[in-house]
Amino acid sequence: MKIAIVCYPTFGGSGVVATELGLALAKRGHEIHFVTYSQPVRLDQLSGNVRFHEVHVPEYPLFHYQPYELALSSKLVNVVKQFKIELLHVHYAIPHAYAGYMAKKMLAEEGYKLPMVTTLHGTDITLVGNHPFYKPAVTFSINNSDVVTSVSKSLKEDTLKSFKIKKNIEVIPNFIDCSKYDEKEFTDCQREMMAEHEEKIITHISNFRKVKRIDDVIKVFYEIQKKVDAKLMMVGEGPEKAMAEDLVDELNITNKVMFLGQSHEIDKILCFSDLFLLPSEKESFGLSALEAMVNEVAIISTNTGGLPEVNIHGVSGYLSNVEDVQDMANNAIRILENEENLEKFKANAKKVAAKFDLENVLPFYEEIYEKALNAA
Ligand code: GMT
């Protein structure tokens, strides 16, 4: 199948899922065309059947806001015609589903059929998409997609609660390619460079937005380090980073917290991590937690959104209410205090992650592509 994938090219989960999905589909013989404003960060293997088409938005002084969706929909029309694309898969509703719908309509005028699959990822529904300024457009573009998928049961429920949806929403969970981790021997797992032998390594990875409750990451760690020798690795960049650095200084734990910035080598950091903290206010799935789990890292998270579908309470880690810093800290200490307990949680985390193996999830996407082709 010739498939165009529209996504955000950034480190965010939706872009990562879209890119990994495209690469996996390409390995199965499909021809994949990524259409977005820059090369997706995880897209490192352009080849004959993986192409990238950059959307350019020319600056024009009259426009206070440059019209990205106009440029994207025009680019889609051109790519679809040039490469005889059979199906469009857009990740994140805003503005991708909207631009995709316009492309579909423009192409229909010229006799082309372009079935569109829209995958909802989280904040496009629970946060930004819910804003009254966007809601009518988001509702319209979901209802006018040929097939709609969401990355968790929880996100499906949130979508049905918040929007007037006439379409069936199929749940296809996010995935991880477990084979990469079976094959990989982390000979370069440089734990000793990061912490002393007896210190536990705790990690947080995100885009440091408000929704991630970065202050709670620091506060939970502050409680943990009172009882267990530990270091905290803060991975990522975003608006809450400066606040986090200030809080670390204020709590006088500067020598125990490392801010590593944005990293292309997440697995190298996770390979020496013991525990992953994800105290988010909202989280439709928690791909970063799944990436930690496949690396045998135990999870301390909130019980919001889709997190209970990924982090199994008492098995791969523990779940707490949003804001309950003390409960998260107690749970973390419970895991870390006892070496045997820690090893059990780490091994369990990997076992739970295996349920989300690419091999199990990919066929669902191929199935819905067939469905979309028949529906259009
Ligand atoms: O987590 C973020 O803020 C990034 C965001 C995105 O859209 O890139 O992530 C969302 O999609 C991911 C992939 O499906 C999910 O794993 C994240 O849970 C979800 N984020 C939120 O719901 C806050």
Side-chain angles (χ1 to χ4, degrees):
M1 219 182 273
K2 294 184 177 197
I3 304 165
I5 293 184
V6 175
C7 63
Y8 283 105
T10 60
F11 284 90
S14 63
V16 170
V17 169
T19 311
E20 299 285 355
L21 175 63
L23 291 173
L25 289 164
K27 271 196 196 150
R28 280 163 90 109
H30 300 283
E31 185 178 304
I32 304 298
H33 295 257
F34 288 96
V35 185
T36 180
Y37 58 81
S38 66
Q39 185 161 324
V41 289
R42 290 256 180 125
L43 185 58
D44 48 8
Q45 323 157 5
L46 289 173
S47 64
N49 65 344
V50 181
R51 303 281 193 91
F52 160 59
H53 308 277
E54 188 170 345
V55 179
H56 297 279
V57 188
E59 292 278 327
Y60 189 68
L62 173 70
F63 300 142
H64 185 62
Y65 304 104
Q66 306 303 318
Y68 178 65
E69 36 292 46
L70 217 61
L72 173 58
S73 56
S74 296
K75 185 78 186 183
L76 281 170
V77 167
N78 293 338
V79 170
V80 167
K81 289 200 306 202
Q82 191 182 351
F83 294 92
K84 311 217 168 354
I85 301 293
E86 296 157 273
L87 183 124
L88 171 65
H89 189 173
V90 301
H91 290 260
Y92 207 91
I94 310 170
H96 299 152
Y98 193 71
Y101 173 78
M102 287 312 297
K104 194 178 151 84
K105 283 287 162 197
M106 285 187 268
L107 285 158
E109 295 265 291
E110 298 185 50
Y112 289 85
K113 247 186 179 183
L114 184 67
M116 178 167 80
V117 175
T118 297
T119 292
L120 309 174
H121 277 274
T123 44
D124 47 351
I125 295 301
T126 57
L127 220 64
V128 58
N130 227 330
H131 195 286
F133 292 172
Y134 295 126
K135 205 166 182 169
V138 174
T139 311
F140 175 85
S141 31
I142 294 175
N143 282 331
N144 284 283
S145 302
D146 294 291
V147 176
V148 182
T149 76
S150 84
V151 299
S152 64
K153 288 186 205 134
S154 149
L155 182 59
K156 173 177 177 171
E157 281 158 23
D158 284 343
T159 311
L160 295 176
K161 244 184 261 157
S162 310
F163 296 83
K164 285 206 178 88
I165 299 299
K166 296 185 227 140
K167 283 233 102 76
N168 179 38
I169 300 178
E170 317 243 5
V171 176
I172 305 185
N174 287 335
F175 55 84
I176 195 91
D177 183 356
C178 292
S179 69
K180 275 198 213 163
Y181 300 85
D182 296 338
E183 289 159 15
K184 212 186 269 180
E185 269 290 309
F186 278 112
T187 42
D188 53 353
C189 187
Q190 297 169 340
R191 187 187 171 104
E192 67 283 356
M193 281 177 65
M194 295 299 183
E196 299 300 326
H197 182 67
E198 65 286 356
E199 279 177 325
K200 298 292 178 251
I201 300 188
I202 296 167
T203 300
H204 171 79
I205 304 174
S206 78
N207 50 22
F208 286 50
R209 299 231 167 95
K210 270 248 179 295
V211 72
K212 302 291 174 183
R213 296 194 63 87
I214 300 297
D215 48 345
D216 283 358
V217 176
I218 310 290
K219 289 178 195 165
V220 171
F221 175 72
Y222 180 68
E223 294 304 320
I224 297 173
Q225 57 85 47
K226 287 182 188 166
K227 298 274 166 62
V228 178
D229 274 345
K231 282 251 164 70
L232 174 64
M233 308 288 146
M234 296 289 283
V235 186
E237 294 288 345
E240 294 290 285
K241 191 175 172 194
M243 176 282 299
E245 285 169 333
D246 288 348
L247 185 57
V248 164
D249 289 344
E250 208 179 289
L251 293 171
N252 209 11
I253 49 173
T254 317
N255 58 345
K256 294 188 176 181
V257 182
M258 292 167 85
F259 287 89
L260 302 179
Q262 231 147 33
S263 174
H264 285 276
E265 298 188 305
I266 293 299
D267 291 328
K268 279 197 180 162
I269 297 168
L270 289 170
C271 81
F272 53 64
S273 302
D274 295 298
L275 195 100
F276 188 79
L277 288 180
L278 196 58
S280 307
E281 183 170 338
K282 291 179 194 293
E283 203 66 71
S284 69
F285 183 89
L287 185 67
S288 58
L290 182 60
E291 289 185 323
M293 286 160 68
V294 77
N295 277 290
E296 292 189 60
V297 183
I299 311 293
I300 291 295
S301 73
T302 49
N303 52 14
T304 190
L307 282 172
E309 295 169 47
V310 181
N311 178 21
I312 309 303
H313 190 70
V315 178
S316 51
Y318 287 106
L319 301 158
S320 304
N321 292 332
V322 174
E323 282 183 56
D324 197 340
V325 167
Q326 199 53 57
D327 192 55
M328 286 184 262
N330 292 345
N331 289 334
I333 294 162
R334 191 145 44 124
I335 294 178
L336 295 170
E337 253 176 0
N338 176 311
E339 203 59 47
E340 224 173 90
N341 207 23
L342 173 61
E343 288 312 314
K344 187 185 82 192
F345 273 92
K346 290 175 83 161
N348 285 348
K350 184 156 183 159
K351 274 189 213 141
V352 176
K355 289 194 199 145
F356 297 91
D357 188 11
L358 173 70
E359 280 294 307
N360 303 331
V361 178
L362 202 61
F364 289 119
Y365 276 113
E366 288 182 311
E367 218 172 274
I368 60 127
Y369 290 166
E370 287 298 335
K371 209 183 229 181
L373 284 174
N374 295 330

